[in-house]
Structures are given as structure tokens and as C-alpha cells.
Amino acid sequence: EIRETSLKEVLWNVSRTGLINPIAVFEPVELEGTTVSRASVHNLSIVRSLALGEGDIIKVYKANMIIPQIAENATKSGTITPPDNCPVCGAGTEIHDDNGVETLHCPNPECPAKKIKAFTHFVSRNALNIEGLSEATLEKFIDEAMIRDFADLFKLEKWQDKIVGMEGFGQKSFDNLIASTKKAAETTPARLLYALGIPNIGVANAKMIAKECQNNWAKIQSLTEEELSSIDGIGDIMAKAYVEFFRDEEKLGEVNRLLEVLSLDETFVQSAGGALTGKTFVITGKVFHYENRDAVKAAIEEAGGKTASSVSAKTDYLINNDITSGSSKNKKAKELGVPIITEEEFMKMLGAE
């Protein structure tokens, strides 16, 4: 489905890495059964190629029937320009050019948005999974100087009186929060690796790296670019950013402080093999037989297979229920000759049907 609407404005959202993402806000339209009014424009190059301007007539759709995107701009007024200053901290913005793709960045390491987003990511469900810490609560804790780095999240007991007295908190909420931090402190190398927020290292990549290192954290943080590039789904740019992260003294210091307060389970059980041993899968689009895509990933890993976030020459199968989709993953799979299979076909491979 493609719908025509009017662009109201472009917002600039600061991420935990300092990347400033453009978000298109338009008059609400019905798409694939839901009302949508926003779409990520991804980077500055796309804002410029679409020549976006307030009041422009744009066409929007949902990629893989999930993610709102702008298909085209009929009027192309081109009046939207990137901000000269970070919308959060006011620091002068920088434009980076990576192989012809322009992106906007906030260079200020102390930008509050970076800190809040980094903490929000760290406590999220697939990371350390600390319940009771919303972005708003984290912002209060940062403003009150109760947390300065990730390790401080596991030392909140000393701030009991202050937290209990905060609006929206009480003794019960505080007790639940402390219980949640203690539970989260017993974690795995894969969860910790994902939680650190290394550029482009998602859940699947973190699990794969941990598995390749047999859950040995010392090995995980000392991998070379060459070792990383040999792992499915890890490209040269990702490998470079990964190695640079663990060479940064400040970041390494934060990791070491975390290791003092966490109980890391480095137990590794070698898979005895399964129906999908040696096979690498990428999953995209909606799923109907599993609860979500994470459940499909879990089924793949349980059967000895691997998952990756992007299609490459190392990918064996792309799972997509919409085989005719024009998504970038489908196009890449077709270019590389990677078979595109439906969820039902995957289940047959697994022996689940």
C-alpha cells in the first residue's frame, strides 16, 4: 500500500552514538491496518535526494509491511536543511561522508542525549534487562548525579533515601528496582556485549561473536579485525568500529568497572549438532507461526544454525514470508543467489511441520 500525504516537518533525533537521525512527521494516514504519522529518513543523503520541504506532497509505504518509509516526494521544495547545532546540547554539528552517504553527528561526548540513550539501550530487554528504569527515570538519575556510568546502576542501594523520596517512587518501587538490578547482574557475555552499544553490533551479532569465542570474555574484547571479519555477518566497517571501541581507554575503563559488579556466566556448551548446523539465516518481515522474529532466531540457534542481521555471501537462506517484496534484503539475496524461503518452508527444514 502507498498513501499520499503532506509533510509537516523533519525532526532531528540524537542517538546514543551521536548520530542525528532525521524523522519525517506528516499528516496521519492509514497503512497496512494502522495509522502512521512518522517515518525515519535514515540519513542526510536521503533528505537531500528526496528534496524534502515543509508542506511537500509525499508518498509513504511500509517496508515489509512494518516500517514506514517515504517512497517519493512529488513537490520537492528542498527547504529542509540540517541543523547547525545539536538540538539537545547545542554543540556544532558535523557532517560525515562514508562512501558517498552523508550523516549528521553531534561531536560532544558529554551530550545528555547520548548518555540517556546509551543507558536506555543498556537496560533494555535484549541487553541487561533491568526492569523499572524508563528513559524518564534514567534522566532523573543522571540529572541527580546518581549514575555516571553503567556500573553505577548496580550501586543504587546507597541512594535509597533519595530515590524513595522521588516523585513516582516509593519503598516498594525501590525494592523492586534493586531486585531487578541484582537479577540483571547475573548475565551472559552476549547480553553484555550487546548492551555496551558498540556501533552496528546487534543482538544476533553479539550472540555470534560470543559463540565464536566460546563465551570467553577476555577473548571477546581482544578480537582483531581479521578475526571479526571471518565471522558471518561482521563486515570490515563493523570490525573496525568494534576494535576501536575496546582500544578506547575510557570505554575499556567503563567495561572493567562493570566486570567488578557483574557475575558473568562464561559457561559454554558445544552444540552437538542439529538440523541446521552450519547454516546461516537472515530473517525479515512479519512472522505468523512464531511469536516474533526473536523466537525464530532462538529456534535456529537451538537447531545448531546461526543468524545474521544482513544478507551476505555467507548467508544460506533469507526467511521472508513476502517473497515478492522489493525490500533491500530481498534484492540483495537475489543478487547473491541466496534462496528466499517462507516461514513454512523453514519449519519443514526444522522438522516442525
Side-chain angles (χ1 to χ4, degrees):
E1 289 184 354
I2 295 180
R3 293 285 182 268
E4 194 172 86
T5 183
S6 174
L7 181 68
K8 293 166 72 175
E9 62 178 328
V10 170
L11 303 176
W12 300 87
N13 182 49
V14 187
S15 74
R16 58 188 167 80
T17 62
L19 178 66
I20 303 177
N21 301 299
I23 310 282
V25 181
F26 44 82
E27 291 296 337
V29 288
E30 289 291 321
L31 264 180
E32 308 287 356
T34 62
T35 302
V36 295
S37 59
R38 292 185 174 213
S40 171
V41 194
H42 301 296
N43 57 56
L44 189 53
S45 286
I46 295 176
V47 172
R48 288 174 169 166
S49 67
L50 288 168
L52 295 175
E54 291 181 9
D56 281 355
I57 303 304
I58 59 173
K59 291 184 178 180
V60 295
Y61 71 102
K62 277 188 178 179
N64 292 319
M65 298 186 290
I66 298 172
I67 306 166
Q69 304 278 288
I70 297 177
E72 60 180 280
N73 180 7
T75 40
K76 295 195 171 185
S77 67
T79 57
I80 297 291
T81 56
D84 294 325
N85 300 94
C86 171
V88 176
C89 71
T93 55
E94 296 177 352
I95 295 174
H96 296 178
D97 190 317
D98 184 7
N99 295 322
V101 177
E102 289 186 319
T103 51
L104 191 67
H105 295 258
C106 170
N108 177 14
E110 297 303 314
C111 178
K114 288 185 186 180
K115 283 192 173 183
I116 293 164
K117 298 287 186 186
F119 274 102
T120 303
H121 174 79
F122 186 86
V123 305
S124 64
R125 181 170 57 89
N126 287 322
L128 269 288
N129 192 24
I130 304 177
E131 297 175 3
L133 283 177
S134 65
E135 191 165 300
T137 299
L138 287 165
E139 190 171 353
K140 286 180 186 176
F141 286 3
I142 291 169
D143 287 345
E144 294 290 332
M146 287 186 277
I147 53 173
R148 295 170 188 265
D149 68 11
F150 296 143
D152 291 334
L153 290 166
F154 303 93
K155 304 172 184 175
L156 290 172
E157 283 176 289
K158 65 182 180 181
W159 301 105
Q160 178 173 348
D161 292 344
K162 198 168 190 177
I163 294 172
V164 169
M166 289 172 66
E167 186 180 345
F169 262 89
Q171 189 61 49
K172 186 177 180 181
S173 296
F174 176 79
D175 291 342
N176 289 341
L177 174 59
I178 296 304
S180 184
T181 60
K182 286 182 176 178
K183 182 180 177 183
E186 296 181 5
T187 192
T188 64
R191 278 186 176 273
L192 174 57
L193 184 59
Y194 172 65
L196 293 175
I198 301 168
N200 299 312
I201 300 298
V203 175
N205 288 332
K207 286 181 178 178
M208 205 171 292
I209 291 168
K211 187 175 180 180
E212 289 290 329
C213 296
Q214 299 189 351
N215 283 341
N216 183 310
W217 183 259
K219 176 64 176 172
I220 288 170
Q221 69 177 49
S222 61
L223 286 167
T224 65
E225 286 186 41
E226 292 74 20
E227 288 170 326
L228 284 158
S229 296
S230 69
I231 300 172
D232 291 339
I234 307 292
D236 293 341
I237 293 172
M238 292 166 69
K240 188 170 187 274
Y242 185 104
V243 170
E244 284 177 356
F245 180 93
F246 284 110
R247 281 182 184 162
D248 184 304
E249 286 189 18
E250 189 175 321
K251 290 185 173 67
L252 200 52
E254 186 160 27
V255 170
N256 289 334
R257 287 190 291 277
L258 260 175
L259 294 174
E260 290 175 5
V261 295
L262 296 178
S263 174
L264 211 55
D265 182 4
E266 296 181 90
T267 305
F268 180 76
V269 179
Q270 185 68 50
S271 172
L276 306 180
T277 298
K279 303 295 183 186
T280 298
F281 295 78
V282 174
I283 311 153
T284 191
K286 284 185 177 179
V287 293
F288 305 106
H289 296 280
Y290 289 86
E291 183 183 354
N292 50 40
R293 284 184 284 186
D294 284 343
V296 181
K297 289 176 184 177
I300 291 167
E301 289 164 7
E302 194 174 320
K306 297 179 181 179
T307 60
S309 56
S310 58
V311 177
S312 71
K314 299 172 184 174
T315 306
D316 291 292
Y317 296 97
L318 170 65
I319 301 172
N320 188 353
N321 284 313
D322 184 4
I323 290 179
T324 60
S325 162
S327 72
S328 59
K329 285 187 173 70
N330 265 31
K331 287 176 183 175
K332 189 71 173 177
K334 286 171 183 174
E335 283 173 19
L336 297 172
V338 173
I340 304 171
I341 62 172
T342 63
E343 197 178 350
E344 286 81 3
E345 290 173 309
F346 162 71
M347 291 170 75
K348 285 177 183 175
M349 291 174 65
L350 201 58
E353 267 197 351

